Amino acid sequence: MDSVYDIAIIGGGPCGIASAVEAKISGIENILLLEKGDNHSQTIRTFYKDNKRVDKEYKGLDSQTKGRVEFETGSKEDVLNYFDALLDNETIDAIFETEVEKIVKNSDGNFEIFTAHKHYFAKNVIVAVGRMGRPNKPSYKIPPSITQRVNFNLDKCSTGEKILVVGGGNSAVEYAMTLSRENIVTLSYRKGEFTRINEINAKNLAYDVKYGNIILRLKTDIESIENEEGKVLVNYKDGRVFVYDRVIYAIGGTTPVDFLKSSDIEVDEKKIPIIDENCETNIKGLYVGGDLATRSGASIVVALNHSNTIIEHINSKNR
């Protein structure tokens, strides 16, 4: 096993950065921060225009920071520079362009964090991803008449269907293997081999293909899809045409709900993680903070305060 971090933080937004800084200042040294984007604060970078003001007070939410990381209203650039300085001033092991697929608590009490290319291990995990995640969609149009037959996760899938799963990552392979237990499943990938899946999935997929549980179509790119008497007609670029009961796209950009489910984090009827006053989930040592942990969205101050609450609770367990 690789070294075990004291804390692993998933997400490089305000809650994630503040959690890392709070932990470092409190004396916790072995900290890992994983961010799927190529830099921190992706929501601010993406959804705020240049020079747009980022407010401290937001919709009547708490505007007083409680921890060691403070915040004041400023422009987009001011806020990004501030978080840059926080990361630069604290020697935190930050790894970018790394998307976490799921988190599992092992029998030894440590968490195993799954990414496409490597597993990490930690005693505590803080999930600080935002709600803004969306699944990637194909470039061609999805006819409105068959949107109920097109999925981007396993929600609303039935049994006894002829299903096409599109994608070449771990999610696509896992979707196909799960659905193949009660459906006829084809897995389509535009490349000639899988380069982004882990060894376990590669081995299990090879078994399912060998024994006919999954039909595998490599080097197949889709031109368009149409409504064929209520089903999905798929036109491939090589001229072939097939009809399916359902098509599932797993081409990146998985949603937070998918991630929570894969990590066995309990959610309520609105898909909000169920946490206690310490932001701890049903799994001891696994926390959720930031806007993903709230019903009405969160301000930066709320995210910072969540980080303070979580780090204080982790430290209290170590006293």
Side-chain angles (χ1 to χ4, degrees):
M1 180 184 293
D2 291 340
S3 61
V4 179
Y5 288 90
D6 292 315
I7 298 176
I9 301 163
I10 316 303
C15 183
I17 294 172
S19 295
V21 173
E22 291 263 5
K24 201 75 173 183
I25 294 174
S26 71
I28 299 174
E29 292 293 332
N30 201 9
I31 303 166
L32 171 68
L33 187 149
L34 297 170
E35 162 60 42
K36 70 177 181 178
D38 60 3
N39 210 330
H40 65 81
S41 308
Q42 290 296 312
T43 297
I44 296 174
R45 294 179 191 278
T46 303
F47 295 99
Y48 281 74
K49 296 180 180 179
D50 290 347
N51 300 311
K52 179 178 174 62
R53 189 176 72 181
V54 183
D55 290 315
K56 180 178 182 179
E57 296 188 15
Y58 180 74
K59 294 183 178 180
L61 298 173
D62 190 358
S63 61
Q64 295 301 315
T65 54
K66 299 175 183 178
R68 299 173 175 88
V69 179
E70 299 179 350
F71 178 75
E72 297 295 336
T73 295
S75 69
K76 169 185 176 179
E77 290 74 15
D78 290 336
V79 173
L80 292 177
N81 288 337
Y82 174 62
F83 286 127
D84 276 338
L86 288 175
L87 281 176
D88 289 344
N89 290 336
E90 302 295 338
T91 53
I92 295 162
D93 193 357
I95 302 175
F96 296 96
E97 296 184 294
T98 299
E99 185 169 6
V100 175
E101 298 168 347
K102 65 179 178 180
I103 303 164
V104 174
K105 190 168 188 178
N106 292 330
S107 58
D108 63 0
N110 292 322
F111 291 94
E112 186 170 0
I113 301 157
F114 291 74
T115 72
H117 299 293
K118 185 175 180 179
H119 295 191
Y120 299 90
F121 300 89
K123 297 175 184 176
N124 300 278
V125 176
I126 302 171
V127 177
V129 300
R131 291 183 182 178
M132 303 304 291
R134 293 290 184 272
N136 292 335
K137 296 184 178 181
S139 57
Y140 46 84
K141 181 180 178 181
I142 299 175
S145 60
I146 53 172
T147 54
Q148 295 302 311
R149 294 279 183 174
V150 176
N151 293 49
F152 297 90
N153 53 38
L154 297 185
D155 288 351
K156 301 179 181 179
C157 289
S158 186
T159 60
E161 291 185 324
K162 183 180 178 182
I163 299 175
L164 173 67
V165 178
V166 181
N170 285 304
S171 293
V173 172
E174 290 169 6
Y175 286 175
M177 291 190 294
T178 298
L179 291 167
S180 67
R181 298 167 190 162
E182 297 180 307
N183 300 275
I184 300 171
V185 175
T186 298
L187 176 60
S188 174
Y189 186 38
R190 60 186 177 84
K191 295 184 178 180
E193 61 179 343
F194 295 96
T195 59
R196 297 185 290 117
I197 63 175
N198 60 51
E199 293 180 1
I200 295 174
N201 281 339
K203 180 179 178 180
N204 291 339
L205 176 62
Y207 176 92
D208 280 338
V209 172
K210 179 178 179 180
Y211 286 91
N213 300 326
I214 294 174
I215 301 168
L216 180 61
R217 299 192 187 280
L218 296 175
K219 294 184 179 179
T220 52
D221 212 355
I222 297 174
E223 179 75 36
S224 63
I225 62 174
E226 305 172 26
N227 184 336
E228 176 80 4
E229 298 182 352
K231 296 187 177 184
V232 185
L233 184 147
V234 177
N235 296 301
Y236 287 95
K237 289 185 177 180
D238 62 7
R240 289 183 296 175
V241 177
F242 296 96
V243 175
Y244 300 93
D245 296 308
R246 186 174 306 279
V247 174
I248 300 176
Y249 292 97
I251 51 179
T254 54
T255 67
V257 173
D258 292 328
F259 171 67
L260 295 172
K261 286 182 178 180
S262 68
S263 300
D264 293 326
I265 297 174
E266 292 181 356
V267 298
D268 63 17
E269 69 282 356
K270 295 186 178 295
K271 309 299 183 184
I272 306 299
I274 299 172
I275 58 175
D276 63 14
E277 67 276 8
N278 301 307
C279 297
E280 193 170 33
T281 68
N282 55 295
I283 304 170
K284 298 302 179 184
L286 180 53
Y287 301 82
V288 177
D291 65 343
L292 187 61
T294 67
R295 286 181 170 273
S296 56
S299 67
I300 290 178
V301 171
V302 169
L304 301 184
N305 288 342
H306 280 169
S307 71
N308 174 253
T309 297
I310 293 168
I311 298 304
E312 284 195 346
H313 187 250
I314 291 174
N315 281 325
S316 70
K317 296 189 296 183
N318 297 330
R319 294 189 186 115

